[in-house]
Structure formats: structure tokens, C-alpha cells
Amino acid sequence: MKRAVYVCMWLGLVGAAPAAAQSGVKIAFINSRQILQQTPGYTAAESTFDREVKGYREEVQRLQRQLDSAIQAFDQQSIALSPAARQAKQKDLQSQQQRLGQRSEELQQKAQQREQELMAPIQARINAVIQGLRAEGNYAVIFDADAQGGTVVAADPALNITPKVLLRLRTPQ
């Protein structure tokens, strides 16, 4: 749930900043992690997501314990089994392992879908506020200082519009 809200594609600040200053182009940045964590509804959505995912994890752990138990039993019994019985049991264990992998993947996809369902309205509201501030402030670009792989090393704190975004998000619509 800690994904950053990506506002725009990164442009090279090193080359863009001097050009922006000379041409009068306004730029700003936000701290998306801070915005997301302080947006009304985020804590409830995160709590709901965590509770639901906990159930998924418990199911996968239960299935893993069953598989581990079956493997341990096979290891103890394998000496006494005939080659045909041993081979059949190995196939059964492989099948059980495949079912575990498939169920784990299904639950992971279900968790991703649920996260999207919970976060989409929050992210849409955040993006709408940021776009509104961009238009009002006549900003050409708003960077996300939290973006993964970002290249912002330092920026003037006066360009940080995170507090403005948070104020708008807290204001009833």
C-alpha cells in the first residue's frame, strides 16, 4: 500500500531547471508518500487491505504446512514403499506443490486487485487536487520527490507544494 502516487514522468532536473528559470516556467514538487499517508480514508483502506491480506497469508501458510507435513511423512515412509508407490507419492506431492503455487498466485492477484479497488478513489482524488493546484499555480511540471529511481538530489523547499495538497485533501468537497 506504500506505493507512491506518480504525478508525472521524470524529466532531467539538471537540464530542465536552468532552462525553466530563464523562461519563467514554474516547477514544483510533492512528497507523494506523505500525501498518501495523510489523505483522509487512506488509513481505513490500508487497515482493510492488511486485514484481508492477512487471511490470504494464513491460507498460504496453512497449505505450506500441509505440504511440508506430507513431504516429511514421505521422507519417513519412502524406504518402506515400493518403487511404484514411491513414484505415485512423489507425483502426488508434486501435484500438491503445484496447487499451492497456483493458489498462492491467485491470492496474490486477488490482493493486487483489492488494493487497486481500495486505492483507486484515493489516488484519483489526490491526482485531481494536484492537477488543480498545477493549473491554479500555472506550474509546467510537478515532480514527485518520492518517485523510485528519481534523480532529484536537492530542491528549494519553497517549490514543495505538499502542504497545499494536504490542505486541499482535508477540505471537504
Side-chain angles (χ1 to χ4, degrees):
M1 281 294 260
K2 307 287 188 244
R3 290 189 185 144
V5 178
Y6 294 102
V7 178
C8 62
M9 296 295 294
W10 279 99
L11 298 174
L13 257 186
V14 175
Q22 291 173 359
S23 68
V25 174
K26 290 177 68 176
I27 61 172
F29 71 91
I30 60 163
N31 180 323
S32 62
R33 187 177 315 127
Q34 180 183 2
I35 291 170
L36 185 61
Q37 291 173 348
Q38 294 182 26
T39 296
Y42 173 77
T43 303
E46 183 179 40
S47 176
T48 299
F49 178 76
D50 289 345
R51 186 177 57 252
E52 292 176 10
V53 168
K54 181 181 178 189
Y56 301 161
R57 282 190 202 111
E58 288 171 354
E59 180 179 344
V60 170
Q61 289 171 348
R62 181 182 49 80
L63 293 171
Q64 183 65 55
R65 283 192 302 272
Q66 289 174 350
L67 177 61
D68 292 344
S69 216
I71 290 172
Q72 187 177 21
F74 171 72
D75 287 344
Q76 292 172 354
Q77 300 168 354
S78 65
I79 297 173
L81 295 175
S82 69
R86 187 177 309 119
Q87 188 175 21
K89 188 65 175 170
Q90 285 174 332
K91 281 186 179 184
D92 182 48
L93 289 172
Q94 288 173 346
S95 175
Q96 191 174 353
Q97 188 170 18
Q98 287 175 342
R99 285 192 305 271
L100 169 65
Q102 287 172 340
R103 184 61 180 155
S104 180
E105 189 172 316
E106 286 171 8
L107 290 173
Q108 184 176 6
Q109 289 173 355
K110 190 174 180 180
Q112 289 172 344
Q113 180 181 0
R114 184 63 173 140
E115 180 181 29
Q116 177 61 29
E117 289 170 5
L118 291 168
M119 293 305 299
I122 294 168
Q123 290 174 330
R125 180 144 188 260
I126 291 170
N127 286 335
V129 166
I130 291 169
Q131 286 296 336
L133 285 170
R134 187 204 54 75
E136 287 173 25
N138 210 19
Y139 296 106
V141 177
I142 298 176
F143 291 96
D144 181 356
D146 282 336
Q148 294 177 349
T151 57
V152 175
V153 176
D156 182 349
L159 299 175
N160 185 358
I161 62 167
T162 299
K164 291 180 184 179
V165 173
L166 290 170
L167 181 63
R168 289 269 175 97
L169 287 169
R170 290 183 187 129
T171 305
Q173 296 177 338

